Amino acid sequence: NQDDIFLLDVHTPEQKHIDGTDSFIPYDNLNGNISKLPDDKNQKIVVYCRSGSMSKIASKKLLDLGYTNVLNLKGGINAWNSYWGN
């Protein structure tokens, strides 16, 4: 719930999101949804999916698109739920 973090779910098919998720864009359709991403290429973006594999691909793509502060949630929503007990 930090204002300086843009939380992005990229899992296909769409899943239940982590509370506070800013946007859902399928990992293989980032180019077609640039308008859903922050305008500031230095904005911190945390990318997640179910297990971490799709978000890893999406994180690389975001870097290729010029975003400089991209973090992949290792283990995805599965790890998040394990940690937070959801």
Side-chain angles (χ1 to χ4, degrees), residues 2 5 7 10 12 14 16 20 27-28 33-35 39-40 44 55 58 61 63 65 69 71-72 74-75 81-82 84:
Q2 293 182 341
I5 294 175
L7 189 56
V10 296
T12 303
E14 191 168 2
K16 185 176 187 291
Y27 80 101
D28 56 354
N33 287 284
I34 299 293
S35 65
D39 292 329
D40 180 359
K44 186 182 291 182
S55 58
K61 181 62 178 175
L63 292 170
L65 289 169
N69 200 356
L71 303 168
N72 178 32
K74 187 175 181 181
N81 288 338
S82 292
W84 293 104

Side-chain angles (χ1 to χ4, degrees), residues 46-81:
V46 176
V47 184
Y48 73 94
C49 63
R50 184 182 49 81
S51 66
S53 59
M54 292 177 191
S55 58
K56 183 177 179 181
I57 294 167
S59 295
K60 170 137 181 24
K61 181 62 178 175
L62 288 169
L63 292 170
D64 291 345
L65 289 169
Y67 289 89
T68 61
N69 200 356
V70 179
L71 303 168
N72 178 32
L73 179 59
K74 187 175 181 181
I77 201 168
N78 290 341
W80 177 270
N81 288 338

Side-chain angles (χ1 to χ4, degrees), residues 9-53:
D9 185 348
V10 296
H11 185 72
T12 303
E14 191 168 2
Q15 63 184 346
K16 185 176 187 291
H17 306 291
I18 294 172
D19 288 343
T21 296
D22 294 293
S23 190
F24 162 71
I25 304 172
Y27 80 101
D28 56 354
N29 197 13
L30 289 171
N31 283 342
N33 287 284
I34 299 293
S35 65
K36 293 183 179 180
L37 295 170
D39 292 329
D40 180 359
K41 299 274 183 160
N42 297 313
Q43 170 77 41
K44 186 182 291 182
I45 301 175
V46 176
V47 184
Y48 73 94
C49 63
R50 184 182 49 81
S51 66
S53 59

